[in-house]
């Protein structure tokens, strides 16, 4: 926990969390990164809370063994299901960051007393975690949430900026659940890939809030506060997956901006 040279562990159900990993590498280029994509259990959005908690503990064990000073849960579904448990489990061994709290701070500062929307997986929306956190910080923002379970698989399959994606996005966003909103939270780390299409649907009249940059900034603030910034150059970055396919590797370009070499690391043998 107190070693600034320790890597930053980041995990997601698959490669969607690479959007967060990318923002982190842009803001903190000296940091070593170990990314874990639990592709064997993708998608998390339709799994039970207990299953996601079990996967998260296994992944945290792996990241701790590799000496990670921080673990970033780069997945809304896992953040809603397993953050509290992981904090208890990991205790003093590493800091834990989720993708929800930095967004709560951001909307509290910029959209007080407004109506805003949220889209995410079934797991995230059913958990009600965003409303709960807003209540906890005493915010009177009115949140209108809609589960959009087709979007993550659609993106994983490479369907975006296409006629199919336009139609699915339009169908979801036309829902009366999301009427008259000032901003829309993309509560799934896959969705930055369709941010432009969503913005176009609203004719740029609704602010689209993607958590990758606010999470990277929250991580930087945390590292500075704990004197854990790595100032040594020549960082290393590793990308592990629990199930390897060439198509995952090819898709990393979409989420990270370049093709990454993925290493297979099975969680259960
Ligand atoms: N990236 C995950 C999230 O942010 C969604 C994908 C999944 O269902 O596994 O919730």
């Amino acid at each position: 926990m107190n070693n600034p040279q320790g890597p930053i562990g980041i995990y997601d159900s698959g490669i969607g969390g690479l959007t967060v990993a990318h923002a982190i590498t842009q803001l903190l280029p000296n940091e070593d990164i170990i990314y874990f994509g639990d592709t064997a259990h993708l998608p998390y959005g339709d799994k039970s809370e207990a299953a996601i908690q079990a996967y998260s503990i296994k992944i945290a064990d792996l990241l701790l063994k590799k000496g990670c000073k921080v673990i970033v849960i780069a997945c809304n579904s896992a953040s809603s299901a397993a953050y509290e448990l992981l904090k208890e489990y990991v205790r003093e061994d590493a800091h834990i960051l989720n993708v929800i709290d930095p967004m709560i701070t951001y909307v509290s500062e910029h959209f007080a007393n407004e109506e805003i929307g949220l889209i995410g997986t079934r797991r995230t929306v059913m958990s009600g975690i965003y409303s709960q956190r807003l209540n906890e910080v005493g915010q009177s923002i009115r949140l209108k949430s809609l589960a959009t379970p087709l979007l993550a698989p659609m993106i994983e399959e490479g369907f975006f900026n296409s006629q199919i994606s336009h139609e699915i996005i339009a169908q979801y966003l036309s829902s009366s659940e999301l009427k008259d909103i000032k901003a829309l939270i993309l509560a799934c780390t896959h969705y930055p890939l369709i941010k432009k299409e969503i913005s176009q649907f609203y004719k740029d009249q609704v602010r689209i809030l993607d958590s990758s940059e606010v999470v990277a900034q929250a991580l930087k603030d945390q590292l500075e506060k704990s004197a854990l910034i790595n100032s040594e150059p020549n960082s290393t970055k590793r990308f592990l997956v629990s199930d390897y396919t060439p198509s995952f590797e090819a898709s990393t370009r979409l989420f990270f901006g370049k093709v990454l070499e993925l290493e297979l690391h099975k969680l259960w043998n």
Side-chain angles (χ1 to χ4, degrees), residues 12-14 16-17 41-46 74-78 99 121 124 152 156 187-190:
D12 176 43
S13 58
H41 299 120
L42 179 90
Y44 277 5
D46 294 330
C75 172
N76 283 266
S77 309
V99 284
T121 64
T124 300
E156 290 264 346
C188 173
T189 52
H190 281 66

Side-chain angles (χ1 to χ4, degrees), residues 124-194:
T124 300
V125 170
M126 270 166 44
S127 74
I129 187 81
Y130 278 82
S131 302
Q132 188 190 316
R133 287 276 199 272
L134 284 170
N135 283 339
E136 281 165 10
V137 298
Q139 261 302 332
S140 52
I141 291 171
R142 288 174 305 285
L143 194 63
K144 298 174 156 185
S145 305
L146 181 73
T148 49
L150 269 184
L151 295 183
M154 175 189 90
I155 295 165
E156 290 264 346
E157 288 298 324
F159 288 106
F160 50 92
N161 292 325
S162 66
Q163 199 185 335
I164 293 177
S165 60
H166 287 340
E167 281 174 20
I168 295 176
I169 289 167
Q171 189 80 28
Y172 276 136
L173 299 184
S174 307
S175 160
S176 56
E177 307 283 326
L178 295 176
K179 258 183 109 169
D180 302 325
I181 52 172
K182 272 268 180 319
L184 180 71
I185 298 175
L186 304 185
C188 173
T189 52
H190 281 66
Y191 299 175
L193 271 84
I194 51 170

